[in-house]
Short mmCIF file of all heavy atoms in Angstrom, two decimals:
data_model
loop_
_atom_site.label_atom_id
_atom_site.label_comp_id
_atom_site.label_asym_id
_atom_site.label_seq_id
_atom_site.Cartn_x
_atom_site.Cartn_y
_atom_site.Cartn_z
N MET S 57 34.35 -106.21 -86.03
CA MET S 57 33.85 -105.01 -85.34
C MET S 57 34.56 -103.74 -85.77
O MET S 57 35.79 -103.66 -85.80
CB MET S 57 34.08 -105.13 -83.88
CG MET S 57 32.90 -105.76 -83.15
SD MET S 57 32.83 -105.38 -81.38
CE MET S 57 34.42 -106.08 -80.81
N ASP S 58 33.84 -102.72 -86.17
CA ASP S 58 34.46 -101.48 -86.50
C ASP S 58 34.77 -100.56 -85.27
O ASP S 58 34.42 -100.93 -84.19
CB ASP S 58 33.58 -100.78 -87.59
CG ASP S 58 32.30 -100.25 -87.05
OD1 ASP S 58 32.07 -100.25 -85.80
OD2 ASP S 58 31.50 -99.69 -87.88
N ALA S 59 35.43 -99.54 -85.65
CA ALA S 59 35.99 -98.58 -84.48
C ALA S 59 34.77 -98.08 -83.72
O ALA S 59 34.94 -97.96 -82.43
CB ALA S 59 36.79 -97.58 -85.10
N LYS S 60 33.71 -97.74 -84.44
CA LYS S 60 32.57 -97.17 -83.71
C LYS S 60 31.99 -98.07 -82.65
O LYS S 60 31.73 -97.82 -81.50
CB LYS S 60 31.51 -96.71 -84.67
CG LYS S 60 30.53 -95.75 -84.13
CD LYS S 60 29.28 -95.62 -85.02
CE LYS S 60 29.58 -94.84 -86.29
NZ LYS S 60 28.45 -94.96 -87.22
N ARG S 61 31.84 -99.39 -83.13
CA ARG S 61 31.29 -100.42 -82.25
C ARG S 61 32.17 -100.66 -81.08
O ARG S 61 31.77 -100.82 -79.89
CB ARG S 61 31.02 -101.66 -83.10
CG ARG S 61 30.58 -102.85 -82.32
CD ARG S 61 29.24 -102.54 -81.58
NE ARG S 61 28.99 -103.51 -80.55
CZ ARG S 61 28.35 -104.77 -80.68
NH1 ARG S 61 27.88 -105.01 -81.82
NH2 ARG S 61 28.16 -105.47 -79.63
N ARG S 62 33.49 -100.65 -81.28
CA ARG S 62 34.45 -100.84 -80.17
C ARG S 62 34.33 -99.75 -79.16
O ARG S 62 34.36 -99.95 -77.93
CB ARG S 62 35.83 -100.95 -80.73
CG ARG S 62 36.30 -102.42 -80.95
CD ARG S 62 37.75 -102.50 -80.96
NE ARG S 62 38.40 -101.68 -82.04
CZ ARG S 62 38.49 -102.07 -83.29
NH1 ARG S 62 38.04 -103.26 -83.66
NH2 ARG S 62 39.03 -101.29 -84.14
N LYS S 63 34.18 -98.55 -79.65
CA LYS S 63 34.04 -97.34 -78.76
C LYS S 63 32.81 -97.50 -77.90
O LYS S 63 32.75 -97.28 -76.67
CB LYS S 63 33.91 -96.07 -79.59
CG LYS S 63 35.19 -95.16 -79.43
CD LYS S 63 34.96 -93.83 -80.15
CE LYS S 63 36.00 -93.63 -81.23
NZ LYS S 63 35.69 -92.46 -82.10
N VAL S 64 31.68 -97.89 -78.60
CA VAL S 64 30.40 -98.08 -77.86
C VAL S 64 30.58 -99.14 -76.80
O VAL S 64 30.11 -98.93 -75.66
CB VAL S 64 29.21 -98.36 -78.82
CG1 VAL S 64 28.02 -98.79 -78.08
CG2 VAL S 64 28.99 -97.13 -79.68
N ASP S 65 31.12 -100.31 -77.16
CA ASP S 65 31.32 -101.37 -76.24
C ASP S 65 32.14 -100.91 -75.02
O ASP S 65 31.86 -101.26 -73.84
CB ASP S 65 32.05 -102.51 -76.89
CG ASP S 65 31.07 -103.43 -77.66
OD1 ASP S 65 29.79 -103.17 -77.51
OD2 ASP S 65 31.45 -104.36 -78.38
N LYS S 66 33.18 -100.09 -75.29
CA LYS S 66 34.02 -99.66 -74.12
C LYS S 66 33.22 -98.69 -73.31
O LYS S 66 33.27 -98.85 -72.07
CB LYS S 66 35.19 -98.86 -74.79
CG LYS S 66 35.99 -98.09 -73.86
CD LYS S 66 37.04 -98.94 -73.04
CE LYS S 66 38.03 -98.12 -72.25
NZ LYS S 66 37.47 -97.43 -71.19
N LEU S 67 32.45 -97.87 -73.91
CA LEU S 67 31.56 -96.87 -73.11
C LEU S 67 30.56 -97.66 -72.28
O LEU S 67 30.27 -97.27 -71.18
CB LEU S 67 30.92 -95.85 -74.00
CG LEU S 67 31.87 -94.82 -74.66
CD1 LEU S 67 31.29 -94.00 -75.69
CD2 LEU S 67 32.38 -93.88 -73.47
N LEU S 68 29.95 -98.69 -72.92
CA LEU S 68 28.97 -99.46 -72.17
C LEU S 68 29.54 -100.20 -71.00
O LEU S 68 28.95 -100.24 -69.92
CB LEU S 68 28.25 -100.50 -73.14
CG LEU S 68 27.24 -99.89 -74.09
CD1 LEU S 68 26.82 -100.99 -75.08
CD2 LEU S 68 26.13 -99.31 -73.40
N SER S 69 30.77 -100.65 -71.13
CA SER S 69 31.43 -101.34 -70.14
C SER S 69 31.81 -100.31 -68.97
O SER S 69 31.66 -100.62 -67.79
CB SER S 69 32.65 -102.15 -70.70
OG SER S 69 33.71 -102.04 -69.85
N ASP S 70 32.29 -99.15 -69.39
CA ASP S 70 32.60 -98.08 -68.44
C ASP S 70 31.28 -97.74 -67.65
O ASP S 70 31.30 -97.59 -66.38
CB ASP S 70 33.10 -96.81 -69.09
CG ASP S 70 34.45 -96.96 -69.64
OD1 ASP S 70 35.11 -97.99 -69.27
OD2 ASP S 70 34.96 -96.12 -70.29
N LYS S 71 30.19 -97.60 -68.39
CA LYS S 71 28.93 -97.20 -67.77
C LYS S 71 28.53 -98.28 -66.70
O LYS S 71 28.11 -97.99 -65.57
CB LYS S 71 27.81 -97.21 -68.83
CG LYS S 71 26.49 -96.76 -68.37
CD LYS S 71 25.58 -96.50 -69.64
CE LYS S 71 24.13 -96.34 -69.27
NZ LYS S 71 23.30 -97.52 -69.38
N TRP S 72 28.63 -99.55 -67.03
CA TRP S 72 28.41 -100.64 -66.14
C TRP S 72 29.19 -100.52 -64.88
O TRP S 72 28.66 -100.64 -63.85
CB TRP S 72 28.53 -102.04 -66.83
CG TRP S 72 28.00 -103.23 -66.08
CD1 TRP S 72 26.77 -103.64 -66.15
CD2 TRP S 72 28.73 -104.00 -65.05
NE1 TRP S 72 26.63 -104.70 -65.28
CE2 TRP S 72 27.78 -104.97 -64.63
CE3 TRP S 72 30.06 -103.91 -64.54
CZ2 TRP S 72 28.17 -105.87 -63.63
CZ3 TRP S 72 30.39 -104.90 -63.57
CH2 TRP S 72 29.39 -105.76 -63.12
N ASN S 73 30.49 -100.28 -65.06
CA ASN S 73 31.42 -100.08 -63.94
C ASN S 73 30.97 -98.97 -63.04
O ASN S 73 30.99 -99.05 -61.85
CB ASN S 73 32.82 -99.96 -64.42
CG ASN S 73 33.43 -101.27 -64.79
OD1 ASN S 73 33.22 -102.32 -64.11
ND2 ASN S 73 34.17 -101.33 -65.87
N ILE S 74 30.65 -97.84 -63.65
CA ILE S 74 30.28 -96.64 -62.86
C ILE S 74 28.97 -96.92 -62.20
O ILE S 74 28.90 -96.58 -60.97
CB ILE S 74 30.14 -95.46 -63.92
CG1 ILE S 74 31.51 -95.00 -64.43
CG2 ILE S 74 29.46 -94.26 -63.21
CD1 ILE S 74 31.45 -94.12 -65.61
N GLU S 75 28.04 -97.57 -62.82
CA GLU S 75 26.76 -97.90 -62.17
C GLU S 75 26.96 -98.77 -60.93
O GLU S 75 26.42 -98.65 -59.90
CB GLU S 75 25.82 -98.52 -63.05
CG GLU S 75 25.11 -97.47 -64.00
CD GLU S 75 24.38 -98.10 -65.11
OE1 GLU S 75 24.43 -99.33 -65.30
OE2 GLU S 75 23.69 -97.38 -65.89
N ARG S 76 27.89 -99.75 -61.03
CA ARG S 76 28.23 -100.62 -59.86
C ARG S 76 28.84 -99.82 -58.74
O ARG S 76 28.54 -100.07 -57.55
CB ARG S 76 29.25 -101.75 -60.22
CG ARG S 76 28.63 -102.74 -61.28
CD ARG S 76 27.56 -103.63 -60.72
NE ARG S 76 26.23 -102.94 -60.95
CZ ARG S 76 25.61 -102.79 -62.10
NH1 ARG S 76 26.18 -103.15 -63.29
NH2 ARG S 76 24.45 -102.18 -62.20
N LYS S 77 29.69 -98.85 -59.17
CA LYS S 77 30.38 -98.05 -58.14
C LYS S 77 29.36 -97.22 -57.35
O LYS S 77 29.39 -97.06 -56.15
CB LYS S 77 31.42 -97.10 -58.75
CG LYS S 77 32.79 -97.74 -58.95
CD LYS S 77 33.76 -96.80 -59.48
CE LYS S 77 34.91 -97.58 -60.20
NZ LYS S 77 35.68 -96.75 -61.09
N ILE S 78 28.43 -96.59 -58.08
CA ILE S 78 27.34 -95.78 -57.54
C ILE S 78 26.42 -96.69 -56.65
O ILE S 78 26.13 -96.30 -55.54
CB ILE S 78 26.51 -95.12 -58.61
CG1 ILE S 78 27.29 -94.11 -59.38
CG2 ILE S 78 25.26 -94.49 -58.06
CD1 ILE S 78 26.61 -93.51 -60.66
N GLU S 79 26.10 -97.82 -57.08
CA GLU S 79 25.27 -98.76 -56.24
C GLU S 79 26.05 -99.12 -54.90
O GLU S 79 25.42 -99.22 -53.96
CB GLU S 79 25.04 -100.10 -57.02
CG GLU S 79 23.82 -100.01 -57.85
CD GLU S 79 23.69 -101.22 -58.79
OE1 GLU S 79 24.21 -102.28 -58.48
OE2 GLU S 79 22.96 -101.13 -59.82
N ASN S 80 27.37 -99.30 -55.07
CA ASN S 80 28.12 -99.55 -53.76
C ASN S 80 28.04 -98.46 -52.83
O ASN S 80 27.78 -98.68 -51.60
CB ASN S 80 29.61 -99.76 -54.25
CG ASN S 80 29.99 -101.18 -54.18
OD1 ASN S 80 29.42 -102.01 -53.46
ND2 ASN S 80 31.02 -101.49 -54.98
N ILE S 81 28.24 -97.19 -53.30
CA ILE S 81 28.13 -96.06 -52.42
C ILE S 81 26.79 -95.91 -51.86
O ILE S 81 26.61 -95.71 -50.68
CB ILE S 81 28.53 -94.75 -53.29
CG1 ILE S 81 29.87 -94.81 -53.69
CG2 ILE S 81 28.21 -93.52 -52.45
CD1 ILE S 81 30.33 -93.73 -54.70
N GLN S 82 25.71 -96.15 -52.72
CA GLN S 82 24.35 -96.07 -52.22
C GLN S 82 23.97 -97.08 -51.11
O GLN S 82 23.32 -96.88 -50.29
CB GLN S 82 23.36 -96.12 -53.36
CG GLN S 82 23.47 -94.84 -54.23
CD GLN S 82 22.62 -94.88 -55.45
OE1 GLN S 82 22.32 -95.94 -56.07
NE2 GLN S 82 22.09 -93.75 -55.93
N SER S 83 24.60 -98.30 -51.36
CA SER S 83 24.29 -99.40 -50.43
C SER S 83 24.94 -99.18 -49.10
O SER S 83 24.53 -99.64 -48.05
CB SER S 83 24.63 -100.74 -50.99
OG SER S 83 26.07 -100.95 -51.02
N GLU S 84 26.06 -98.42 -49.12
CA GLU S 84 26.81 -98.12 -47.78
C GLU S 84 26.27 -96.89 -47.15
O GLU S 84 26.61 -96.60 -46.00
CB GLU S 84 28.28 -97.98 -48.09
CG GLU S 84 28.96 -99.33 -48.35
CD GLU S 84 30.33 -99.16 -48.91
OE1 GLU S 84 30.78 -98.05 -49.02
OE2 GLU S 84 30.88 -100.25 -49.23
N CYS S 85 25.54 -96.01 -47.93
CA CYS S 85 25.10 -94.69 -47.40
C CYS S 85 23.98 -94.99 -46.38
O CYS S 85 23.15 -95.87 -46.56
CB CYS S 85 24.56 -93.95 -48.58
SG CYS S 85 23.97 -92.30 -48.06
N LYS S 86 23.90 -94.06 -45.32
CA LYS S 86 22.85 -94.21 -44.38
C LYS S 86 21.65 -93.27 -44.72
O LYS S 86 20.70 -93.27 -43.97
CB LYS S 86 23.42 -93.89 -42.98
CG LYS S 86 24.55 -94.76 -42.61
CD LYS S 86 24.57 -95.06 -41.07
CE LYS S 86 25.50 -96.24 -40.70
NZ LYS S 86 26.67 -96.52 -41.54
N HIS S 87 21.78 -92.58 -45.72
CA HIS S 87 20.70 -91.66 -46.24
C HIS S 87 20.23 -90.73 -45.13
O HIS S 87 19.05 -90.74 -44.71
CB HIS S 87 19.49 -92.45 -46.81
CG HIS S 87 19.92 -93.60 -47.68
ND1 HIS S 87 20.83 -93.41 -48.73
CD2 HIS S 87 19.56 -94.92 -47.68
CE1 HIS S 87 20.96 -94.54 -49.38
NE2 HIS S 87 20.25 -95.50 -48.72
N GLU S 88 21.06 -89.99 -44.59
CA GLU S 88 20.73 -89.10 -43.45
C GLU S 88 20.29 -87.74 -43.89
O GLU S 88 19.74 -87.02 -43.15
CB GLU S 88 21.94 -89.02 -42.47
CG GLU S 88 22.06 -90.27 -41.63
CD GLU S 88 23.31 -90.37 -40.87
OE1 GLU S 88 24.32 -89.84 -41.34
OE2 GLU S 88 23.37 -91.19 -39.84
N ASN S 89 20.59 -87.35 -45.19
CA ASN S 89 20.19 -86.04 -45.66
C ASN S 89 19.08 -86.18 -46.75
O ASN S 89 19.44 -86.24 -47.92
CB ASN S 89 21.40 -85.34 -46.25
CG ASN S 89 22.44 -84.95 -45.19
OD1 ASN S 89 22.10 -84.36 -44.15
ND2 ASN S 89 23.66 -85.41 -45.38
N LYS S 90 17.89 -86.27 -46.23
CA LYS S 90 16.70 -86.39 -47.12
C LYS S 90 16.31 -85.12 -47.74
O LYS S 90 16.16 -84.15 -46.90
CB LYS S 90 15.61 -87.08 -46.45
CG LYS S 90 15.45 -88.50 -46.63
CD LYS S 90 14.10 -89.13 -46.32
CE LYS S 90 13.15 -88.43 -45.39
NZ LYS S 90 11.94 -89.16 -45.22
N VAL S 91 16.16 -84.98 -48.98
CA VAL S 91 15.67 -83.75 -49.63
C VAL S 91 14.61 -84.06 -50.65
O VAL S 91 14.63 -85.16 -51.27
CB VAL S 91 16.80 -82.90 -50.30
CG1 VAL S 91 17.70 -82.27 -49.35
CG2 VAL S 91 17.56 -83.76 -51.32
N LEU S 92 13.67 -83.13 -50.78
CA LEU S 92 12.69 -83.34 -51.88
C LEU S 92 13.23 -82.80 -53.21
O LEU S 92 13.72 -81.70 -53.26
CB LEU S 92 11.41 -82.54 -51.48
CG LEU S 92 10.33 -83.28 -50.71
CD1 LEU S 92 9.13 -82.37 -50.42
CD2 LEU S 92 9.84 -84.52 -51.43
N LYS S 93 13.18 -83.64 -54.19
CA LYS S 93 13.70 -83.31 -55.43
C LYS S 93 12.86 -83.83 -56.64
O LYS S 93 12.24 -84.86 -56.50
CB LYS S 93 15.08 -83.95 -55.61
CG LYS S 93 16.16 -82.94 -55.28
CD LYS S 93 17.52 -83.37 -55.85
CE LYS S 93 18.57 -82.46 -55.31
NZ LYS S 93 19.69 -83.09 -54.80
N GLN S 94 12.88 -83.10 -57.67
CA GLN S 94 12.26 -83.63 -58.89
C GLN S 94 13.22 -84.52 -59.67
O GLN S 94 14.26 -84.06 -60.02
CB GLN S 94 11.69 -82.44 -59.77
CG GLN S 94 10.21 -82.14 -59.39
CD GLN S 94 9.64 -81.01 -60.16
OE1 GLN S 94 10.42 -80.05 -60.40
NE2 GLN S 94 8.45 -81.04 -60.52
N ILE S 95 12.80 -85.73 -59.83
CA ILE S 95 13.67 -86.58 -60.62
C ILE S 95 12.96 -87.12 -61.85
O ILE S 95 11.73 -87.10 -61.87
CB ILE S 95 14.17 -87.87 -59.73
CG1 ILE S 95 12.95 -88.68 -59.39
CG2 ILE S 95 14.92 -87.41 -58.52
CD1 ILE S 95 13.42 -90.12 -58.80
N LYS S 96 13.78 -87.52 -62.86
CA LYS S 96 13.20 -87.87 -64.18
C LYS S 96 12.82 -89.32 -64.13
O LYS S 96 13.83 -90.20 -63.96
CB LYS S 96 14.20 -87.55 -65.24
CG LYS S 96 13.56 -87.39 -66.57
CD LYS S 96 14.44 -86.72 -67.60
CE LYS S 96 13.82 -86.60 -68.94
NZ LYS S 96 14.00 -87.73 -69.77
N GLU S 97 11.62 -89.68 -64.10
CA GLU S 97 11.20 -91.07 -64.11
C GLU S 97 9.78 -91.09 -64.56
O GLU S 97 8.83 -90.64 -63.84
CB GLU S 97 11.32 -91.63 -62.68
CG GLU S 97 11.49 -93.12 -62.65
CD GLU S 97 11.73 -93.61 -61.20
OE1 GLU S 97 12.84 -93.56 -60.82
OE2 GLU S 97 10.81 -94.01 -60.55
N ASN S 98 9.48 -91.57 -65.77
CA ASN S 98 8.23 -91.40 -66.38
C ASN S 98 7.71 -90.01 -66.30
O ASN S 98 6.76 -89.64 -65.63
CB ASN S 98 7.13 -92.31 -65.74
CG ASN S 98 7.64 -93.69 -65.46
OD1 ASN S 98 8.21 -94.32 -66.30
ND2 ASN S 98 7.32 -94.15 -64.24
N GLY S 99 8.48 -89.08 -66.86
CA GLY S 99 8.25 -87.63 -66.66
C GLY S 99 8.92 -87.20 -65.44
O GLY S 99 9.80 -87.89 -64.93
N PHE S 100 8.60 -86.07 -64.87
CA PHE S 100 9.18 -85.63 -63.65
C PHE S 100 8.32 -85.92 -62.45
O PHE S 100 7.19 -85.60 -62.39
CB PHE S 100 9.50 -84.12 -63.81
CG PHE S 100 10.71 -83.84 -64.53
CD1 PHE S 100 10.54 -83.50 -65.88
CD2 PHE S 100 11.97 -83.85 -64.00
CE1 PHE S 100 11.77 -83.25 -66.69
CE2 PHE S 100 13.04 -83.62 -64.73
CZ PHE S 100 12.94 -83.30 -66.06
N GLU S 101 9.01 -86.57 -61.47
CA GLU S 101 8.29 -87.00 -60.25
C GLU S 101 8.95 -86.32 -59.10
O GLU S 101 10.20 -86.27 -59.00
CB GLU S 101 8.31 -88.46 -60.10
CG GLU S 101 7.77 -89.28 -61.24
CD GLU S 101 6.29 -89.49 -61.21
OE1 GLU S 101 5.62 -88.77 -60.41
OE2 GLU S 101 5.74 -90.34 -61.92
N LEU S 102 8.18 -85.98 -58.10
CA LEU S 102 8.72 -85.40 -56.86
C LEU S 102 8.97 -86.54 -55.91
O LEU S 102 8.06 -87.28 -55.56
CB LEU S 102 7.80 -84.38 -56.24
CG LEU S 102 8.29 -83.41 -55.14
CD1 LEU S 102 9.44 -82.62 -55.69
CD2 LEU S 102 7.19 -82.52 -54.67
N ARG S 103 10.23 -86.70 -55.42
CA ARG S 103 10.52 -87.77 -54.56
C ARG S 103 11.41 -87.29 -53.37
O ARG S 103 12.21 -86.30 -53.57
CB ARG S 103 11.32 -88.80 -55.28
CG ARG S 103 10.66 -89.61 -56.36
CD ARG S 103 9.80 -90.72 -55.76
NE ARG S 103 9.17 -91.40 -56.82
CZ ARG S 103 9.86 -92.50 -57.33
NH1 ARG S 103 11.04 -92.87 -56.88
NH2 ARG S 103 9.34 -93.15 -58.33
N TRP S 104 11.41 -88.03 -52.36
CA TRP S 104 12.45 -87.89 -51.24
C TRP S 104 13.65 -88.63 -51.88
O TRP S 104 13.64 -89.76 -52.23
CB TRP S 104 12.05 -88.54 -49.97
CG TRP S 104 11.06 -87.73 -49.22
CD1 TRP S 104 9.71 -88.08 -49.02
CD2 TRP S 104 11.27 -86.47 -48.56
NE1 TRP S 104 9.09 -86.99 -48.30
CE2 TRP S 104 10.05 -86.11 -47.96
CE3 TRP S 104 12.43 -85.64 -48.44
CZ2 TRP S 104 9.92 -84.91 -47.24
CZ3 TRP S 104 12.27 -84.53 -47.65
CH2 TRP S 104 10.99 -84.14 -47.11
N VAL S 105 14.80 -87.84 -51.89
CA VAL S 105 16.03 -88.30 -52.44
C VAL S 105 17.18 -88.10 -51.39
O VAL S 105 17.09 -87.11 -50.68
CB VAL S 105 16.33 -87.58 -53.76
CG1 VAL S 105 17.74 -87.92 -54.25
CG2 VAL S 105 15.26 -87.85 -54.84
N CYS S 106 18.09 -89.07 -51.31
CA CYS S 106 19.20 -88.90 -50.40
C CYS S 106 20.07 -87.82 -51.04
O CYS S 106 20.54 -87.92 -52.25
CB CYS S 106 19.95 -90.14 -50.24
SG CYS S 106 21.43 -89.98 -49.25
N ASP S 107 20.36 -86.78 -50.27
CA ASP S 107 21.26 -85.67 -50.82
C ASP S 107 22.69 -86.09 -51.01
O ASP S 107 23.43 -85.52 -51.72
CB ASP S 107 21.15 -84.45 -49.91
CG ASP S 107 21.46 -83.23 -50.67
OD1 ASP S 107 21.30 -83.17 -51.95
OD2 ASP S 107 21.91 -82.19 -50.04
N ASP S 108 23.03 -87.18 -50.29
CA ASP S 108 24.54 -87.58 -50.31
C ASP S 108 24.73 -88.53 -51.48
O ASP S 108 25.80 -88.43 -52.18
CB ASP S 108 24.86 -88.33 -49.04
CG ASP S 108 24.83 -87.33 -47.86
OD1 ASP S 108 25.11 -86.17 -48.11
OD2 ASP S 108 24.51 -87.83 -46.73
N CYS S 109 23.72 -89.47 -51.76
CA CYS S 109 24.09 -90.52 -52.79
C CYS S 109 23.09 -90.51 -53.93
O CYS S 109 23.19 -91.31 -54.85
CB CYS S 109 24.13 -91.83 -52.14
SG CYS S 109 22.56 -92.47 -51.63
N THR S 110 22.15 -89.54 -53.87
CA THR S 110 21.06 -89.38 -54.88
C THR S 110 20.05 -90.48 -55.06
O THR S 110 19.35 -90.53 -56.02
CB THR S 110 21.67 -89.05 -56.27
OG1 THR S 110 22.18 -90.27 -56.95
CG2 THR S 110 22.71 -87.92 -56.22
N LEU S 111 20.05 -91.44 -54.07
CA LEU S 111 19.11 -92.54 -54.23
C LEU S 111 17.70 -92.09 -53.92
O LEU S 111 17.48 -91.47 -52.86
CB LEU S 111 19.51 -93.70 -53.27
CG LEU S 111 18.76 -94.97 -53.45
CD1 LEU S 111 19.22 -95.75 -54.71
CD2 LEU S 111 18.91 -95.80 -52.24
N PRO S 112 16.70 -92.44 -54.74
CA PRO S 112 15.27 -92.03 -54.48
C PRO S 112 14.88 -92.91 -53.25
O PRO S 112 15.06 -94.14 -53.21
CB PRO S 112 14.49 -92.45 -55.66
CG PRO S 112 15.51 -92.59 -56.76
CD PRO S 112 16.84 -93.00 -56.08
N LEU S 113 14.27 -92.30 -52.22
CA LEU S 113 13.93 -92.98 -51.02
C LEU S 113 12.38 -93.24 -50.79
O LEU S 113 11.95 -94.14 -50.16
CB LEU S 113 14.46 -92.22 -49.81
CG LEU S 113 15.98 -92.04 -49.75
CD1 LEU S 113 16.35 -91.08 -48.63
CD2 LEU S 113 16.67 -93.31 -49.65
N GLY S 114 11.61 -92.38 -51.52
CA GLY S 114 10.18 -92.59 -51.34
C GLY S 114 9.40 -91.34 -51.77
O GLY S 114 9.91 -90.39 -52.19
N TRP S 115 8.09 -91.52 -51.68
CA TRP S 115 7.16 -90.53 -52.13
C TRP S 115 6.81 -89.54 -51.03
O TRP S 115 6.63 -89.97 -49.87
CB TRP S 115 5.83 -91.17 -52.65
CG TRP S 115 6.10 -92.07 -53.82
CD1 TRP S 115 6.44 -93.39 -53.82
CD2 TRP S 115 6.07 -91.69 -55.21
NE1 TRP S 115 6.53 -93.88 -55.01
CE2 TRP S 115 6.44 -92.88 -55.95
CE3 TRP S 115 5.91 -90.55 -55.87
CZ2 TRP S 115 6.48 -92.92 -57.35
CZ3 TRP S 115 6.00 -90.51 -57.28
CH2 TRP S 115 6.28 -91.64 -57.96
N PRO S 116 6.72 -88.28 -51.32
CA PRO S 116 6.30 -87.25 -50.38
C PRO S 116 4.76 -87.42 -50.20
O PRO S 116 4.12 -87.93 -51.02
CB PRO S 116 6.65 -85.94 -51.01
CG PRO S 116 6.66 -86.20 -52.47
CD PRO S 116 7.00 -87.60 -52.69
N SER S 117 4.38 -87.02 -49.02
CA SER S 117 2.94 -86.97 -48.71
C SER S 117 2.31 -85.76 -49.57
O SER S 117 3.04 -84.89 -49.97
CB SER S 117 2.65 -86.78 -47.29
OG SER S 117 3.13 -85.51 -46.86
N GLU S 118 1.01 -85.72 -49.58
CA GLU S 118 0.31 -84.60 -50.25
C GLU S 118 0.77 -83.29 -49.63
O GLU S 118 1.10 -82.31 -50.36
CB GLU S 118 -1.14 -84.75 -50.08
CG GLU S 118 -2.01 -83.98 -51.15
CD GLU S 118 -2.63 -84.99 -52.10
OE1 GLU S 118 -2.11 -85.99 -52.47
OE2 GLU S 118 -3.78 -84.61 -52.47
N ALA S 119 0.82 -83.25 -48.25
CA ALA S 119 1.21 -82.01 -47.59
C ALA S 119 2.64 -81.57 -47.91
O ALA S 119 2.84 -80.35 -48.12
CB ALA S 119 0.99 -82.12 -46.09
N GLU S 120 3.51 -82.52 -47.99
CA GLU S 120 4.91 -82.23 -48.20
C GLU S 120 5.03 -81.72 -49.73
O GLU S 120 5.80 -80.84 -50.04
CB GLU S 120 5.81 -83.50 -48.03
CG GLU S 120 5.94 -83.88 -46.61
CD GLU S 120 6.49 -85.29 -46.47
OE1 GLU S 120 6.32 -86.15 -47.37
OE2 GLU S 120 7.02 -85.55 -45.36
N ARG S 121 4.30 -82.36 -50.58
CA ARG S 121 4.31 -81.86 -52.00
C ARG S 121 3.78 -80.45 -52.12
O ARG S 121 4.40 -79.60 -52.81
CB ARG S 121 3.52 -82.86 -52.90
CG ARG S 121 3.74 -82.56 -54.38
CD ARG S 121 2.95 -83.59 -55.21
NE ARG S 121 2.83 -84.87 -54.48
CZ ARG S 121 1.78 -85.67 -54.72
NH1 ARG S 121 0.88 -85.32 -55.53
NH2 ARG S 121 1.85 -86.85 -54.12
N ASP S 122 2.66 -80.16 -51.43
CA ASP S 122 2.15 -78.86 -51.48
C ASP S 122 3.23 -77.77 -50.99
O ASP S 122 3.33 -76.75 -51.53
CB ASP S 122 0.95 -78.74 -50.61
CG ASP S 122 -0.25 -79.43 -51.34
OD1 ASP S 122 -0.12 -79.81 -52.53
OD2 ASP S 122 -1.31 -79.64 -50.67
N GLU S 123 3.79 -78.16 -49.89
CA GLU S 123 4.81 -77.29 -49.21
C GLU S 123 5.94 -77.01 -50.24
O GLU S 123 6.38 -75.95 -50.33
CB GLU S 123 5.39 -78.01 -47.99
CG GLU S 123 6.34 -77.17 -47.19
CD GLU S 123 5.63 -75.91 -46.54
OE1 GLU S 123 4.39 -75.93 -46.40
OE2 GLU S 123 6.36 -74.93 -46.32
N PHE S 124 6.41 -78.02 -50.94
CA PHE S 124 7.50 -77.93 -51.96
C PHE S 124 7.09 -77.00 -53.14
O PHE S 124 7.85 -76.19 -53.58
CB PHE S 124 7.88 -79.32 -52.46
CG PHE S 124 9.01 -79.28 -53.43
CD1 PHE S 124 10.36 -79.27 -52.95
CD2 PHE S 124 8.77 -79.27 -54.83
CE1 PHE S 124 11.33 -79.27 -53.90
CE2 PHE S 124 9.82 -79.25 -55.76
CZ PHE S 124 11.13 -79.23 -55.25
N LEU S 125 5.90 -77.19 -53.54
CA LEU S 125 5.47 -76.48 -54.78
C LEU S 125 5.01 -75.08 -54.54
O LEU S 125 4.78 -74.28 -55.42
CB LEU S 125 4.34 -77.25 -55.49
CG LEU S 125 4.75 -78.69 -55.96
CD1 LEU S 125 3.52 -79.46 -56.35
CD2 LEU S 125 5.74 -78.56 -57.11
N LYS S 126 4.94 -74.77 -53.24
CA LYS S 126 4.42 -73.45 -52.90
C LYS S 126 5.37 -72.34 -53.36
O LYS S 126 6.57 -72.47 -53.34
CB LYS S 126 4.27 -73.35 -51.32
CG LYS S 126 3.26 -72.41 -50.91
CD LYS S 126 2.87 -72.67 -49.48
CE LYS S 126 4.08 -72.70 -48.52
NZ LYS S 126 3.65 -72.76 -47.10
ZN1 ZN V 150 22.17 -91.98 -49.34
#
């Protein structure tokens, strides 16, 4: 393994650890601060997102979307 590959492996392992930490926080969060946000997922989608842990919680209704885009 060359140095570049070792660096990438280390970063991928860090990324995995960070993602597990975020998942932990999100699973313990009660998602009490819902906000409408544009998130990147197959282009940009408007979603209800927890403002505390950034977890996408669901789709806004047509009326809520109109209100946001106004
Ligand atoms: Zn949350």
Side-chain angles (χ1 to χ4, degrees):
M57 269 204 295
D58 68 8
K60 196 195 287 170
R61 175 60 198 271
R62 265 201 302 276
K63 248 186 238 172
V64 170
D65 277 352
K66 169 81 169 67
L67 287 168
L68 285 173
S69 141
D70 287 353
K71 180 171 174 264
W72 192 88
N73 281 317
I74 289 165
E75 282 169 352
R76 295 295 85 72
K77 277 184 200 162
I78 293 172
E79 274 172 20
N80 256 333
I81 293 168
Q82 289 177 330
S83 71
E84 284 166 7
C85 180
K86 301 214 166 30
H87 314 311
E88 283 165 336
N89 293 308
K90 264 198 337 178
V91 288
L92 270 178
K93 261 200 187 131
Q94 266 177 324
I95 63 168
K96 202 163 179 277
E97 202 173 280
N98 316 313
F100 282 95
E101 306 272 17
L102 194 60
R103 292 281 188 87
W104 283 110
V105 171
C106 176
D107 203 26
D108 295 330
C109 72
T110 75
L111 189 75
L113 301 171
W115 298 89
S117 69
E118 201 111 323
E120 289 166 338
R121 192 176 328 149
D122 288 350
E123 186 63 27
F124 180 85
L125 297 170
K126 210 164 54 177

